[in-house]
Amino acid sequence: MCKSRRRDDSYSSTEWSEAFTLSGSTDKPKATLTAGTTIIPVGGSVTLTCSVQNSDGWKYEWFRRTQTTSEVQARDQQNRDIRVSEGGIYSCRGTRGNPVYYTDISDDVTIEITFSNKVVVKQQPNWPQIFRGETITLTCEVQEGGETTEWEYKWTVHRTATQWTHNNYWTIRVSESGSGDYMCKSRRRDDSYSSTEWSEAFTLSVSTDKPRATLTAGTTIIPVGGSVTLTCSVQNSDGWKYEWFRRNQTTSEVQIRDQQNRDIRVSEGGIYSCRGTKGNPVYYTDISDDVTIEITSQSRTETFPTLMITGLLCGMLLILFLLLLCYIKLLKSETFSF
């Protein structure tokens, strides 16, 4: 409370004022920093707001830093709201009075700026169908002028993001849970608060059933001096090489190592099978069903014409013998007539 008196009359005064109640908070206030969004669109800006709860009369000090620079005060800003178009780590505090009273500094808010560069996810090898157990590589490619910039990359799948890495590829041994949408984005290595937008989703579909190779033969009988064509295939899938195998009833299976084509020609009898292979590390299909190839015997081939010739000779001899008998009978009949 307070009261007053005139300077020239020290024995006259006012009454005491009504009581003014001063409540002092023991805890030092802390500024709160909020952002409309933490991602600045290409060519845009975001609004940051600094506030001190349940209190008036404040001005504000703003600070920005990065991982490579120290904190710098934005000296021309004292407002509660500011707009920023530069990425970095921002903070603020409230000030008022003379001498100046400061609140505790706010928690940090990280603001990122979006580059105009586009990024796309590509699959290597670019097979249309992926099977469980295969290994593929996804690459994150920065387009539209990003060739001369050193980038870092981040991936997301099933809404879970990875850490930033210098590698623009992600090698995956595909499992049943590997199906889903994959996205990536990039940022400059010298500016960790500026990045591209997320790429469009790359959808990976995984076939759970392991494929089985199919072996077909033009014919299963090899003619003398000839050969037959065998064809190995994997249904509804591309990019395969092939391994070929041969065995017989007395020997174990042997791989035909100089053959990797879909079609081969064989001139040797036996039990044949095949399987498809692709990728690195190699992925194998299930092995095909057996196909038995027989070769025509040379001795059996020569028997038919030999028998034919022998039959003709015997027939001719029989005819000559019958003609001879007829001639002898004719001679006897003429002799008895005399």
Side-chain angles (χ1 to χ4, degrees):
M1 295 181 293
C2 70
K3 66 179 180 177
S4 301
R5 72 179 183 185
R6 294 176 180 173
R7 294 185 183 178
D8 59 356
D9 185 356
S10 59
Y11 300 102
S12 300
S13 68
T14 66
E15 292 181 347
W16 287 100
S17 68
E18 293 183 0
F20 175 84
T21 303
L22 177 64
S23 299
S25 297
T26 57
D27 296 328
K28 189 175 184 180
K30 181 174 182 174
T32 301
L33 174 55
T34 57
T37 177
T38 59
I39 304 295
I40 302 175
V42 176
S45 61
V46 298
T47 299
L48 303 181
T49 299
C50 193
S51 61
V52 180
Q53 190 174 14
N54 301 325
S55 190
D56 299 324
W58 298 97
K59 294 182 179 180
Y60 298 91
E61 291 183 346
W62 292 90
F63 306 92
R64 176 186 174 273
R65 73 180 191 277
T66 68
Q67 289 182 342
T68 58
T69 63
S70 58
E71 193 167 64
V72 175
Q73 183 177 349
R75 296 188 181 278
D76 58 343
Q77 297 283 5
Q78 288 189 318
N79 298 326
R80 182 173 182 268
D81 301 314
I82 65 171
R83 291 193 68 83
V84 298
S85 56
E86 189 176 12
I89 304 172
Y90 287 85
S91 58
C92 68
R93 67 180 175 183
T95 74
R96 71 179 180 185
N98 186 14
V100 177
Y101 177 82
Y102 299 97
T103 68
D104 285 338
I105 201 162
S106 70
D107 293 331
D108 293 334
V109 170
T110 300
I111 301 297
E112 295 183 2
I113 187 170
T114 304
F115 290 129
S116 60
N117 303 83
K118 302 295 184 183
V119 291
V120 294
V121 177
K122 294 185 178 180
Q123 173 189 308
Q124 295 294 333
N126 190 24
W127 296 317
Q129 189 173 17
I130 304 299
F131 298 98
R132 179 185 61 187
E134 284 191 275
T135 300
I136 63 168
T137 297
L138 300 180
T139 58
C140 186
E141 296 187 4
V142 181
Q143 299 182 332
E144 300 177 8
E147 297 83 0
T148 60
T149 303
E150 290 188 326
W151 299 94
E152 293 182 322
Y153 305 88
K154 178 181 280 192
W155 295 85
T156 182
V157 61
H158 303 312
R159 299 182 179 180
T160 301
T162 67
Q163 298 295 320
W164 289 100
T165 174
H166 289 183
N167 296 327
N168 73 326
Y169 60 87
W170 188 5
T171 300
I172 308 167
R173 183 174 174 83
V174 180
S175 63
E176 292 181 22
S177 62
S179 295
D181 292 337
Y182 291 77
M183 295 185 295
C184 72
K185 67 177 179 178
S186 303
R187 71 181 184 188
R188 293 175 180 169
R189 294 187 188 180
D190 60 354
D191 186 357
S192 57
Y193 302 102
S194 301
S195 66
T196 66
E197 293 180 341
W198 287 101
S199 68
E200 293 184 1
F202 174 85
T203 302
L204 179 64
S205 298
V206 180
S207 298
T208 57
D209 295 330
K210 189 175 184 180
R212 183 185 183 92
T214 301
L215 175 55
T216 57
T219 176
T220 59
I221 305 296
I222 301 176
V224 175
S227 60
V228 298
T229 298
L230 304 181
T231 299
C232 193
S233 61
V234 181
Q235 189 175 15
N236 300 327
S237 191
D238 301 323
W240 298 96
K241 295 182 179 180
Y242 298 91
E243 290 184 349
W244 292 89
F245 306 92
R246 176 186 174 275
R247 73 179 191 277
N248 57 41
Q249 292 181 342
T250 60
T251 63
S252 58
E253 192 168 65
V254 176
Q255 183 177 348
I256 306 173
R257 297 190 178 278
D258 60 342
Q259 296 286 0
Q260 287 189 320
N261 298 325
R262 182 174 183 267
D263 301 312
I264 66 171
R265 293 193 66 84
V266 298
S267 56
E268 188 176 8
I271 303 171
Y272 288 84
S273 58
C274 69
R275 66 180 175 184
T277 74
K278 67 178 178 179
N280 184 16
V282 178
Y283 175 83
Y284 298 96
T285 68
D286 286 336
I287 202 162
S288 69
D289 293 332
D290 294 335
V291 169
T292 300
I293 301 297
E294 296 181 357
I295 188 168
T296 304
S297 172
Q298 183 75 22
S299 59
R300 288 174 58 189
T301 304
E302 293 176 349
T303 299
F304 176 74
T306 302
L307 291 175
M308 185 176 178
I309 294 171
T310 302
L312 289 173
L313 290 175
C314 291
M316 292 176 66
L317 290 174
L318 180 60
I319 292 171
L320 291 173
F321 179 72
L322 292 174
L323 290 174
L324 181 60
L325 287 177
C326 292
Y327 179 73
I328 293 172
K329 286 185 178 182
L330 182 61
L331 287 177
K332 286 184 178 181
S333 61
E334 289 180 352
T335 302
F336 289 141
S337 63
F338 288 108

